[in-house]
Amino acid sequence: MESNQAKNSLLSSHDNIQRTQYPYVTGTSVVALKYKDGILMASDMGGSYGSTLRYKSVERLKPIGKHSLLGASGELSDFQEILRYLDELILYDNMWDDGNSLGPKEVHNYLTRVMYNRRNKFDPLWNTLVLGGVKKGHKYLGMVSMIGVNFEDDHVATGFGNHLARPILRDEWREDLTFEEGVKLLEKCMRVLLYRDRSAVNKLQIAKITEEGVTISQPYSLKTFWGFSAFQNPTVGAEGSW
Amino acid sequence: MFRNQYDTDVTTWSPAGRLFQVEYAMEAVKQGSAAIGLRSKTHVVLGCVNKANSELTSHQKKIFKVDDHIGVAIAGLTADGRVLSRYMRSECINYGFTYESPLPVGRLVVQLADKAQVCTQRSWKRPYGVGLLVGGLDESGAHLYYNCPSGNYFEYQAFAIGSRSQAAKTYLERRFNSFMDSSRDDLIKDALLAIRETLQGETLKSSICTVAVVGAGEAFHVLDNETVQKLIDAFEIAGGEEAPAADPDAAAEEGGAADQGAAAAADQGAAATDQGAATEEGVAPMDI
Protein backbone atom coordinates (compact mmCIF):
# COMPACT_ATOMS: atom_id res chain seq x y z
CA MET A 1 0.00 0.00 0.00
CA GLU A 2 2.71 2.36 1.07
CA SER A 3 4.91 1.48 -1.86
CA ASN A 4 1.91 1.91 -4.10
CA GLN A 5 1.45 5.44 -2.84
CA ALA A 6 5.10 6.20 -3.35
CA LYS A 7 4.76 4.98 -6.88
CA ASN A 8 1.70 7.11 -7.42
CA SER A 9 3.33 10.26 -6.15
CA LEU A 10 6.28 9.61 -8.42
CA LEU A 11 3.93 9.12 -11.33
CA SER A 12 1.81 12.13 -10.53
CA SER A 13 4.84 14.39 -10.39
CA HIS A 14 5.48 13.28 -13.93
CA ASP A 15 1.87 13.90 -14.89
CA ASN A 16 2.18 17.53 -13.91
CA ILE A 17 4.99 18.29 -16.30
CA GLN A 18 3.82 20.26 -19.29
CA ARG A 19 6.00 20.08 -22.36
CA THR A 20 5.74 22.01 -25.58
CA GLN A 21 4.24 19.60 -28.08
CA TYR A 22 3.43 22.11 -30.78
CA PRO A 23 3.91 25.83 -31.23
CA TYR A 24 1.11 28.39 -30.84
CA VAL A 25 2.14 31.73 -32.28
CA THR A 26 4.86 31.45 -34.86
CA GLY A 27 7.00 33.64 -37.05
CA THR A 28 8.07 32.46 -40.48
CA SER A 29 11.40 32.63 -42.33
CA VAL A 30 14.54 34.58 -41.46
CA VAL A 31 17.10 35.12 -44.20
CA ALA A 32 20.64 36.31 -43.55
CA LEU A 33 23.90 36.69 -45.43
CA LYS A 34 27.47 37.86 -45.04
CA TYR A 35 28.41 40.95 -47.02
CA LYS A 36 31.52 43.10 -47.39
CA ASP A 37 31.34 44.83 -43.99
CA GLY A 38 29.34 42.39 -41.88
CA ILE A 39 26.03 40.59 -41.75
CA LEU A 40 22.60 41.46 -43.15
CA MET A 41 19.45 39.80 -41.87
CA ALA A 42 15.82 40.06 -42.95
CA SER A 43 12.53 38.83 -41.56
CA ASP A 44 8.90 39.78 -41.90
CA MET A 45 6.83 40.89 -38.92
CA GLY A 46 3.96 38.43 -39.03
CA GLY A 47 2.88 36.28 -36.11
CA SER A 48 0.71 33.33 -37.07
CA TYR A 49 -1.75 31.69 -34.69
CA GLY A 50 -1.96 28.38 -36.49
CA SER A 51 -2.81 29.46 -40.02
CA THR A 52 -4.39 32.72 -38.87
CA LEU A 53 -2.18 35.77 -39.37
CA ARG A 54 -2.84 36.99 -35.85
CA TYR A 55 -0.11 39.65 -35.33
CA LYS A 56 1.54 41.88 -37.87
CA SER A 57 4.12 43.92 -35.95
CA VAL A 58 6.32 41.37 -34.28
CA GLU A 59 10.03 42.23 -34.14
CA ARG A 60 12.00 39.07 -34.76
CA LEU A 61 15.44 40.60 -35.16
CA LYS A 62 17.17 41.61 -31.93
CA PRO A 63 20.65 42.88 -31.04
CA ILE A 64 22.52 40.72 -28.48
CA GLY A 65 25.33 42.54 -26.71
CA LYS A 66 27.75 44.60 -28.76
CA HIS A 67 28.74 42.13 -31.42
CA SER A 68 25.74 39.94 -32.21
CA LEU A 69 22.39 39.97 -33.93
CA LEU A 70 19.74 37.31 -33.43
CA GLY A 71 16.86 36.43 -35.75
CA ALA A 72 14.22 33.88 -34.84
CA SER A 73 11.48 31.94 -36.53
CA GLY A 74 9.10 29.58 -34.77
CA GLU A 75 7.28 29.95 -31.46
CA LEU A 76 7.37 33.61 -30.46
CA SER A 77 6.98 33.11 -26.72
CA ASP A 78 9.91 30.71 -26.75
CA PHE A 79 11.88 33.40 -28.56
CA GLN A 80 10.99 35.81 -25.75
CA GLU A 81 12.28 33.27 -23.24
CA ILE A 82 15.52 32.94 -25.18
CA LEU A 83 15.86 36.73 -25.16
CA ARG A 84 15.52 36.65 -21.37
CA TYR A 85 18.34 34.10 -21.12
CA LEU A 86 20.51 36.20 -23.40
CA ASP A 87 19.78 39.44 -21.53
CA GLU A 88 20.97 37.79 -18.34
CA LEU A 89 23.99 36.29 -20.09
CA ILE A 90 25.06 39.64 -21.52
CA LEU A 91 24.38 41.43 -18.24
CA TYR A 92 26.58 39.05 -16.27
CA ASP A 93 29.24 39.25 -18.97
CA ASN A 94 29.23 43.06 -18.73
CA MET A 95 29.37 42.94 -14.95
CA TRP A 96 32.89 41.48 -15.12
CA ASP A 97 33.87 44.83 -16.61
CA ASP A 98 37.24 43.41 -17.62
CA GLY A 99 37.43 44.22 -21.31
CA ASN A 100 36.42 40.71 -22.35
CA SER A 101 33.08 40.20 -24.05
CA LEU A 102 31.10 37.40 -25.62
CA GLY A 103 31.28 37.48 -29.39
CA PRO A 104 28.87 35.98 -31.92
CA LYS A 105 30.67 32.63 -31.85
CA GLU A 106 30.27 32.37 -28.08
CA VAL A 107 26.59 33.38 -28.18
CA HIS A 108 25.94 30.93 -31.01
CA ASN A 109 27.53 28.09 -29.08
CA TYR A 110 25.62 29.06 -25.95
CA LEU A 111 22.35 28.94 -27.88
CA THR A 112 23.27 25.54 -29.29
CA ARG A 113 23.71 24.27 -25.73
CA VAL A 114 20.42 25.77 -24.58
CA MET A 115 18.47 24.35 -27.53
CA TYR A 116 20.01 20.89 -27.33
CA ASN A 117 19.60 20.77 -23.56
CA ARG A 118 15.91 21.55 -23.85
CA ARG A 119 15.35 18.97 -26.53
CA ASN A 120 17.02 16.41 -24.24
CA LYS A 121 14.36 17.23 -21.67
CA PHE A 122 11.80 16.52 -24.39
CA ASP A 123 10.69 20.11 -23.93
CA PRO A 124 12.20 21.93 -26.88
CA LEU A 125 12.24 25.64 -27.53
CA TRP A 126 10.30 25.65 -30.80
CA ASN A 127 12.55 27.93 -32.81
CA THR A 128 15.09 28.05 -35.55
CA LEU A 129 17.60 30.76 -34.67
CA VAL A 130 19.96 32.71 -36.86
CA LEU A 131 22.94 34.30 -35.16
CA GLY A 132 25.12 36.79 -36.97
CA GLY A 133 27.81 39.17 -35.83
CA VAL A 134 31.17 40.79 -36.27
CA LYS A 135 33.96 40.88 -33.72
CA LYS A 136 37.55 41.97 -34.21
CA GLY A 137 37.12 42.05 -37.98
CA HIS A 138 35.74 38.54 -38.02
CA LYS A 139 32.33 37.97 -39.60
CA TYR A 140 30.21 35.18 -38.16
CA LEU A 141 26.92 33.72 -39.36
CA GLY A 142 25.33 30.57 -38.02
CA MET A 143 22.07 28.78 -37.34
CA VAL A 144 20.63 26.61 -34.58
CA SER A 145 17.53 24.47 -34.91
CA MET A 146 15.03 23.54 -32.21
CA ILE A 147 16.79 20.22 -31.60
CA GLY A 148 20.27 21.74 -31.44
CA VAL A 149 21.49 21.10 -34.96
CA ASN A 150 23.90 23.93 -35.71
CA PHE A 151 26.23 25.14 -38.44
CA GLU A 152 27.94 28.18 -39.92
CA ASP A 153 27.61 29.38 -43.48
CA ASP A 154 28.01 32.43 -45.72
CA HIS A 155 24.24 32.70 -46.05
CA VAL A 156 21.45 31.00 -44.13
CA ALA A 157 17.65 30.89 -44.10
CA THR A 158 15.11 29.26 -41.82
CA GLY A 159 11.88 27.41 -42.60
CA PHE A 160 10.49 28.09 -46.04
CA GLY A 161 13.51 30.26 -46.71
CA ASN A 162 15.60 27.11 -46.77
CA HIS A 163 13.66 25.93 -49.81
CA LEU A 164 12.88 29.21 -51.55
CA ALA A 165 15.65 31.66 -50.62
CA ARG A 166 18.80 29.55 -50.37
CA PRO A 167 18.78 28.46 -54.03
CA ILE A 168 18.72 32.14 -54.97
CA LEU A 169 21.49 32.90 -52.50
CA ARG A 170 23.61 30.03 -53.81
CA ASP A 171 23.33 31.51 -57.31
CA GLU A 172 23.82 35.15 -56.50
CA TRP A 173 25.77 35.48 -53.25
CA ARG A 174 29.31 36.83 -53.41
CA GLU A 175 31.92 37.42 -50.72
CA ASP A 176 32.29 41.11 -51.64
CA LEU A 177 28.61 42.08 -51.79
CA THR A 178 28.14 45.77 -50.98
CA PHE A 179 25.48 46.90 -48.54
CA GLU A 180 23.14 47.97 -51.36
CA GLU A 181 23.63 44.72 -53.28
CA GLY A 182 23.08 42.72 -50.10
CA VAL A 183 19.84 44.48 -49.31
CA LYS A 184 18.68 43.99 -52.91
CA LEU A 185 19.44 40.28 -52.73
CA LEU A 186 17.62 39.91 -49.42
CA GLU A 187 14.60 41.78 -50.81
CA LYS A 188 14.55 39.44 -53.79
CA CYS A 189 14.45 36.49 -51.40
CA MET A 190 11.79 38.09 -49.22
CA ARG A 191 9.63 38.86 -52.26
CA VAL A 192 9.73 35.24 -53.40
CA LEU A 193 8.85 34.17 -49.86
CA LEU A 194 6.01 36.67 -49.78
CA TYR A 195 4.58 35.25 -52.99
CA ARG A 196 4.91 31.60 -52.10
CA ASP A 197 4.80 31.34 -48.28
CA ARG A 198 1.24 31.77 -47.10
CA SER A 199 2.29 32.86 -43.60
CA ALA A 200 4.57 35.64 -44.81
CA VAL A 201 3.28 39.21 -44.55
CA ASN A 202 4.31 42.27 -46.52
CA LYS A 203 5.91 44.11 -43.65
CA LEU A 204 9.55 43.42 -43.01
CA GLN A 205 12.69 44.64 -41.33
CA ILE A 206 16.28 44.40 -42.44
CA ALA A 207 19.06 44.54 -39.88
CA LYS A 208 22.74 45.17 -40.40
CA ILE A 209 25.60 44.41 -38.06
CA THR A 210 29.13 45.62 -38.63
CA GLU A 211 32.15 46.42 -36.48
CA GLU A 212 30.31 49.68 -35.62
CA GLY A 213 27.26 47.91 -34.20
CA VAL A 214 23.69 46.98 -35.00
CA THR A 215 21.16 48.96 -37.08
CA ILE A 216 17.65 47.64 -37.53
CA SER A 217 15.52 49.29 -40.22
CA GLN A 218 12.03 50.65 -39.73
CA PRO A 219 9.34 48.26 -41.00
CA TYR A 220 8.59 48.63 -44.69
CA SER A 221 6.78 46.87 -47.53
CA LEU A 222 7.96 45.40 -50.82
CA LYS A 223 6.45 46.33 -54.17
CA THR A 224 4.50 43.37 -55.50
CA PHE A 225 2.95 42.48 -58.84
CA TRP A 226 0.20 39.89 -58.76
CA GLY A 227 -0.58 39.99 -62.47
CA PHE A 228 1.82 37.19 -63.46
CA SER A 229 -0.03 34.61 -65.51
CA ALA A 230 1.05 31.89 -63.11
CA PHE A 231 -0.80 33.79 -60.37
CA GLN A 232 -3.96 34.19 -62.48
CA ASN A 233 -4.83 30.52 -62.50
CA PRO A 234 -2.33 28.82 -60.22
CA THR A 235 -3.74 25.32 -60.56
CA VAL A 236 -3.76 25.09 -64.31
CA GLY A 237 -1.98 21.93 -65.36
CA ALA A 238 -1.87 20.68 -61.77
CA GLU A 239 -3.83 17.51 -62.17
CA GLY A 240 -6.15 16.54 -59.33
CA SER A 241 -6.51 20.06 -57.90
CA TRP A 242 -9.50 22.30 -58.34
CA MET B 1 52.51 29.69 28.58
CA PHE B 2 52.96 32.12 25.73
CA ARG B 3 50.44 30.46 23.49
CA ASN B 4 48.86 32.74 20.92
CA GLN B 5 45.19 33.01 21.90
CA TYR B 6 44.12 34.30 18.51
CA ASP B 7 45.26 31.62 16.12
CA THR B 8 42.99 28.71 16.97
CA ASP B 9 40.78 29.23 13.96
CA VAL B 10 40.84 31.27 10.78
CA THR B 11 37.99 33.57 11.66
CA THR B 12 39.35 34.92 14.93
CA TRP B 13 40.81 38.40 14.82
CA SER B 14 43.75 39.38 16.93
CA PRO B 15 43.41 42.74 18.73
CA ALA B 16 45.96 44.08 16.28
CA GLY B 17 43.58 43.31 13.43
CA ARG B 18 45.29 40.25 12.09
CA LEU B 19 44.13 36.79 11.14
CA PHE B 20 46.96 34.55 12.26
CA GLN B 21 45.80 31.40 10.52
CA VAL B 22 45.73 33.22 7.22
CA GLU B 23 49.22 34.54 7.85
CA TYR B 24 50.45 31.04 8.67
CA ALA B 25 49.05 29.85 5.35
CA MET B 26 50.95 32.60 3.58
CA GLU B 27 54.04 31.46 5.46
CA ALA B 28 53.58 28.00 3.94
CA VAL B 29 53.94 29.61 0.51
CA LYS B 30 57.26 31.16 1.53
CA GLN B 31 58.59 27.78 2.64
CA GLY B 32 57.82 26.00 -0.60
CA SER B 33 60.53 25.91 -3.24
CA ALA B 34 60.58 28.92 -5.51
CA ALA B 35 58.36 29.54 -8.51
CA ILE B 36 58.68 32.49 -10.85
CA GLY B 37 56.72 33.99 -13.69
CA LEU B 38 57.19 36.78 -16.18
CA ARG B 39 55.46 38.02 -19.28
CA SER B 40 55.82 40.03 -22.45
CA LYS B 41 53.01 41.37 -24.62
CA THR B 42 52.54 37.98 -26.20
CA HIS B 43 54.09 35.35 -23.95
CA VAL B 44 54.13 34.20 -20.37
CA VAL B 45 56.94 32.06 -18.97
CA LEU B 46 56.62 30.16 -15.71
CA GLY B 47 59.53 28.52 -13.97
CA CYS B 48 60.22 26.71 -10.74
CA VAL B 49 62.93 25.07 -8.69
CA ASN B 50 62.53 21.34 -8.19
CA LYS B 51 63.54 20.23 -4.73
CA ALA B 52 63.48 16.57 -3.80
CA ASN B 53 62.68 15.83 -0.16
CA SER B 54 65.27 13.14 0.10
CA GLU B 55 67.89 11.42 -1.97
CA LEU B 56 65.49 8.53 -2.42
CA THR B 57 62.59 10.42 -3.97
CA SER B 58 62.06 12.37 -7.11
CA HIS B 59 60.79 15.93 -6.83
CA GLN B 60 57.12 16.94 -6.92
CA LYS B 61 55.56 18.55 -9.92
CA LYS B 62 55.09 22.29 -9.46
CA ILE B 63 53.92 23.45 -12.86
CA PHE B 64 50.54 22.37 -14.21
CA LYS B 65 48.85 22.86 -17.51
CA VAL B 66 45.29 24.07 -16.92
CA ASP B 67 44.21 24.49 -20.53
CA ASP B 68 45.84 25.26 -23.86
CA HIS B 69 45.95 28.92 -22.89
CA ILE B 70 46.55 28.79 -19.13
CA GLY B 71 49.11 27.22 -16.83
CA VAL B 72 50.10 27.56 -13.16
CA ALA B 73 53.25 27.37 -11.12
CA ILE B 74 52.79 26.71 -7.41
CA ALA B 75 54.70 27.14 -4.18
CA GLY B 76 53.55 25.73 -0.87
CA LEU B 77 51.47 22.65 -0.21
CA THR B 78 51.57 20.67 -3.43
CA ALA B 79 48.42 18.78 -2.49
CA ASP B 80 46.43 22.01 -2.23
CA GLY B 81 47.96 23.19 -5.46
CA ARG B 82 46.75 20.09 -7.23
CA VAL B 83 43.24 20.52 -5.89
CA LEU B 84 43.12 24.09 -7.15
CA SER B 85 44.62 23.12 -10.50
CA ARG B 86 41.92 20.51 -10.92
CA TYR B 87 39.28 23.12 -10.14
CA MET B 88 40.76 25.48 -12.72
CA ARG B 89 40.91 22.74 -15.32
CA SER B 90 37.27 21.91 -14.83
CA GLU B 91 36.25 25.59 -15.01
CA CYS B 92 38.12 25.93 -18.31
CA ILE B 93 36.55 22.80 -19.74
CA ASN B 94 33.05 23.89 -18.74
CA TYR B 95 33.52 27.34 -20.24
CA GLY B 96 34.85 25.78 -23.41
CA PHE B 97 31.84 23.47 -23.58
CA THR B 98 29.35 26.31 -23.28
CA TYR B 99 31.04 28.97 -25.39
CA GLU B 100 33.55 27.05 -27.50
CA SER B 101 36.16 29.63 -26.58
CA PRO B 102 38.90 29.95 -23.96
CA LEU B 103 38.03 31.25 -20.50
CA PRO B 104 39.54 34.73 -19.96
CA VAL B 105 42.48 34.41 -17.53
CA GLY B 106 41.33 37.27 -15.31
CA ARG B 107 37.94 35.63 -14.77
CA LEU B 108 39.44 32.31 -13.80
CA VAL B 109 41.70 34.07 -11.34
CA VAL B 110 38.75 35.87 -9.73
CA GLN B 111 36.92 32.56 -9.35
CA LEU B 112 40.00 31.02 -7.83
CA ALA B 113 40.45 33.93 -5.43
CA ASP B 114 36.80 33.70 -4.38
CA LYS B 115 37.28 30.03 -3.66
CA ALA B 116 40.32 30.78 -1.50
CA GLN B 117 38.54 33.64 0.27
CA VAL B 118 35.69 31.41 1.45
CA CYS B 119 38.24 29.38 3.42
CA THR B 120 39.21 32.48 5.38
CA GLN B 121 35.66 33.12 6.54
CA ARG B 122 34.53 29.70 7.80
CA SER B 123 35.64 28.53 11.22
CA TRP B 124 35.58 24.86 10.23
CA LYS B 125 37.82 25.35 7.22
CA ARG B 126 41.48 26.08 6.69
CA PRO B 127 43.01 28.35 4.07
CA TYR B 128 44.79 26.75 1.13
CA GLY B 129 48.50 26.60 1.90
CA VAL B 130 49.57 27.37 -1.61
CA GLY B 131 50.45 30.36 -3.73
CA LEU B 132 49.73 30.15 -7.44
CA LEU B 133 51.31 32.01 -10.30
CA VAL B 134 48.68 31.87 -13.02
CA GLY B 135 49.93 32.66 -16.49
CA GLY B 136 47.80 32.77 -19.58
CA LEU B 137 46.66 34.34 -22.77
CA ASP B 138 43.28 35.79 -23.71
CA GLU B 139 41.78 38.34 -26.06
CA SER B 140 43.33 41.20 -24.07
CA GLY B 141 46.84 39.70 -24.28
CA ALA B 142 49.19 37.85 -21.96
CA HIS B 143 48.60 37.94 -18.21
CA LEU B 144 50.40 36.87 -15.08
CA TYR B 145 48.57 36.73 -11.75
CA TYR B 146 49.55 35.76 -8.25
CA ASN B 147 46.87 34.09 -6.11
CA CYS B 148 47.43 34.15 -2.38
CA PRO B 149 45.90 31.89 0.35
CA SER B 150 44.26 35.01 1.81
CA GLY B 151 41.98 35.30 -1.21
CA ASN B 152 43.86 38.28 -2.56
CA TYR B 153 45.09 38.27 -6.13
CA PHE B 154 47.39 40.63 -8.02
CA GLU B 155 48.41 41.07 -11.61
CA TYR B 156 52.13 41.28 -12.29
CA GLN B 157 54.62 41.87 -15.10
CA ALA B 158 56.92 39.47 -13.32
CA PHE B 159 56.88 37.85 -9.90
CA ALA B 160 58.49 35.20 -7.76
CA ILE B 161 57.19 33.22 -4.78
CA GLY B 162 58.59 30.57 -2.48
CA SER B 163 61.83 30.18 -0.62
CA ARG B 164 64.56 32.69 -1.49
CA SER B 165 62.23 34.26 -3.99
CA GLN B 166 63.42 37.70 -2.88
CA ALA B 167 66.60 37.23 -4.90
CA ALA B 168 64.62 36.41 -8.02
CA LYS B 169 62.26 39.31 -7.34
CA THR B 170 65.20 41.67 -7.12
CA TYR B 171 66.51 40.36 -10.42
CA LEU B 172 63.09 40.74 -12.04
CA GLU B 173 62.53 44.20 -10.58
CA ARG B 174 65.72 45.39 -12.20
CA ARG B 175 64.88 44.01 -15.57
CA PHE B 176 61.09 44.05 -15.95
CA ASN B 177 61.03 47.33 -17.89
CA SER B 178 62.24 45.56 -20.99
CA PHE B 179 60.03 42.48 -20.60
CA MET B 180 57.01 43.90 -22.42
CA ASP B 181 58.85 43.89 -25.75
CA SER B 182 60.97 40.82 -25.04
CA SER B 183 61.07 37.95 -27.47
CA ARG B 184 59.91 34.55 -26.29
CA ASP B 185 63.48 33.28 -26.06
CA ASP B 186 64.73 36.27 -24.10
CA LEU B 187 61.85 35.80 -21.70
CA ILE B 188 62.83 32.17 -21.14
CA LYS B 189 66.41 33.23 -20.59
CA ASP B 190 65.34 35.80 -18.01
CA ALA B 191 63.23 33.12 -16.36
CA LEU B 192 66.24 30.84 -16.04
CA LEU B 193 68.42 33.65 -14.71
CA ALA B 194 65.74 34.55 -12.17
CA ILE B 195 65.56 30.91 -11.10
CA ARG B 196 69.32 30.87 -10.74
CA GLU B 197 69.13 33.80 -8.34
CA THR B 198 67.09 31.68 -5.94
CA LEU B 199 69.65 28.87 -5.93
CA GLN B 200 72.26 30.82 -4.00
CA GLY B 201 75.45 29.41 -5.40
CA GLU B 202 74.11 26.04 -6.44
CA THR B 203 74.67 25.61 -10.18
CA LEU B 204 71.67 25.85 -12.44
CA LYS B 205 70.95 22.57 -14.20
CA SER B 206 67.93 21.41 -16.12
CA SER B 207 67.47 18.64 -13.56
CA ILE B 208 66.60 21.09 -10.79
CA CYS B 209 64.27 23.41 -12.63
CA THR B 210 61.19 23.36 -14.83
CA VAL B 211 60.27 26.02 -17.36
CA ALA B 212 56.95 26.35 -19.19
CA VAL B 213 55.75 28.74 -21.87
CA VAL B 214 52.43 29.92 -23.24
CA GLY B 215 52.04 32.56 -25.91
CA ALA B 216 50.57 33.70 -29.18
CA GLY B 217 50.43 30.66 -31.44
CA GLU B 218 51.92 28.46 -28.75
CA ALA B 219 49.82 26.36 -26.39
CA PHE B 220 50.96 26.04 -22.79
CA HIS B 221 53.70 23.44 -22.51
CA VAL B 222 56.58 22.53 -20.26
CA LEU B 223 59.95 22.69 -21.96
CA ASP B 224 61.73 19.35 -21.95
CA ASN B 225 64.98 18.87 -20.06
CA GLU B 226 67.27 18.81 -23.09
CA THR B 227 65.91 22.10 -24.38
CA VAL B 228 66.35 23.74 -21.00
CA GLN B 229 69.88 22.38 -20.60
CA LYS B 230 70.81 23.64 -24.07
CA LEU B 231 69.55 27.09 -23.16
CA ILE B 232 71.46 27.07 -19.89
CA ASP B 233 74.63 25.93 -21.64
CA ALA B 234 74.15 28.54 -24.34
CA PHE B 235 74.05 31.48 -21.98
CA GLU B 236 76.57 30.08 -19.56
CA ILE B 237 79.09 29.99 -22.40
CA ALA B 238 78.06 33.17 -24.13
CA GLY B 239 77.33 34.74 -20.78
CA GLY B 240 80.99 35.25 -19.86
CA GLU B 241 80.33 38.97 -20.12
CA GLU B 242 76.62 38.79 -19.60
CA ALA B 243 76.64 37.48 -16.10
CA PRO B 244 78.21 40.62 -14.62
CA ALA B 245 76.16 42.78 -16.93
CA ALA B 246 73.10 41.21 -15.42
CA ASP B 247 74.35 42.48 -12.12
CA PRO B 248 74.91 46.18 -12.57
CA ASP B 249 75.96 46.75 -8.97
CA ALA B 250 79.00 44.61 -9.42
CA ALA B 251 79.67 46.23 -12.76
CA ALA B 252 79.36 49.71 -11.34
CA GLU B 253 81.55 49.02 -8.36
CA GLU B 254 84.25 47.09 -10.12
CA GLY B 255 84.17 49.00 -13.36
CA GLY B 256 85.96 47.32 -16.24
CA ALA B 257 87.46 44.73 -13.96
CA ALA B 258 84.16 42.93 -13.73
CA ASP B 259 85.18 40.59 -16.52
CA GLN B 260 87.27 38.35 -14.37
CA GLY B 261 85.46 35.93 -12.13
CA ALA B 262 82.14 36.73 -13.70
CA ALA B 263 80.19 33.94 -12.06
CA ALA B 264 81.64 34.71 -8.66
CA ALA B 265 80.70 38.35 -8.95
CA ALA B 266 77.19 37.44 -9.93
CA ASP B 267 76.87 35.14 -6.96
CA GLN B 268 78.07 37.81 -4.57
CA GLY B 269 75.62 40.22 -6.07
CA ALA B 270 72.81 37.76 -5.57
CA ALA B 271 73.78 37.14 -1.98
CA ALA B 272 73.86 40.88 -1.32
CA THR B 273 70.48 41.54 -2.89
CA ASP B 274 68.86 38.86 -0.81
CA GLN B 275 69.70 40.73 2.35
CA GLY B 276 67.91 43.91 1.58
CA ALA B 277 66.66 46.39 -0.92
CA ALA B 278 69.54 48.76 -0.25
CA THR B 279 71.32 47.54 -3.36
CA GLU B 280 68.51 49.09 -5.37
CA GLU B 281 70.04 52.52 -4.99
CA GLY B 282 72.47 53.67 -7.60
CA VAL B 283 71.62 50.85 -9.94
CA ALA B 284 73.38 51.37 -13.24
CA PRO B 285 71.21 51.26 -16.33
CA MET B 286 71.09 47.91 -18.04
CA ASP B 287 73.27 47.63 -21.10
CA ILE B 288 72.16 44.38 -22.65
Side-chain angles (χ1 to χ4, degrees), chain B residues 10-28:
Chain B
V10 258
T11 58
T12 302
W13 291 100
S14 84
R18 297 162 61 179
L19 291 172
F20 282 106
Q21 283 294 334
V22 173
E23 289 179 20
Y24 297 160
M26 289 160 74
E27 208 57 42

Side-chain angles (χ1 to χ4, degrees), chain B residues 26 28 38 59 69 79 85 91 106 108 131 139 142 151 166 170 173 182 231 238 248 250-251 281 284:
Chain B
M26 289 160 74
L38 59 163
H59 60 83
H69 68 299
S85 305
E91 288 302 308
L108 178 64
E139 62 175 282
Q166 186 54 50
T170 309
E173 276 163 16
S182 271
L231 287 164
E281 291 166 52

Side-chain angles (χ1 to χ4, degrees), chain A residues 89 93 98 105-106 109 113, chain B residues 97-101 107:
Chain A
L89 183 78
D93 189 51
D98 60 357
K105 179 182 145 217
E106 286 77 26
N109 202 251
R113 296 305 170 199
Chain B
F97 174 75
T98 312
Y99 302 107
E100 214 167 80
S101 73
R107 296 191 182 180

Side-chain angles (χ1 to χ4, degrees), chain A residues 177-195:
Chain A
L177 240 38
T178 64
F179 173 71
E180 286 75 18
E181 289 171 328
V183 170
K184 222 171 176 179
L185 184 51
L186 281 182
E187 285 179 348
K188 183 172 182 181
C189 294
M190 293 309 281
R191 185 174 287 111
V192 169
L193 283 164
L194 179 62
Y195 283 144

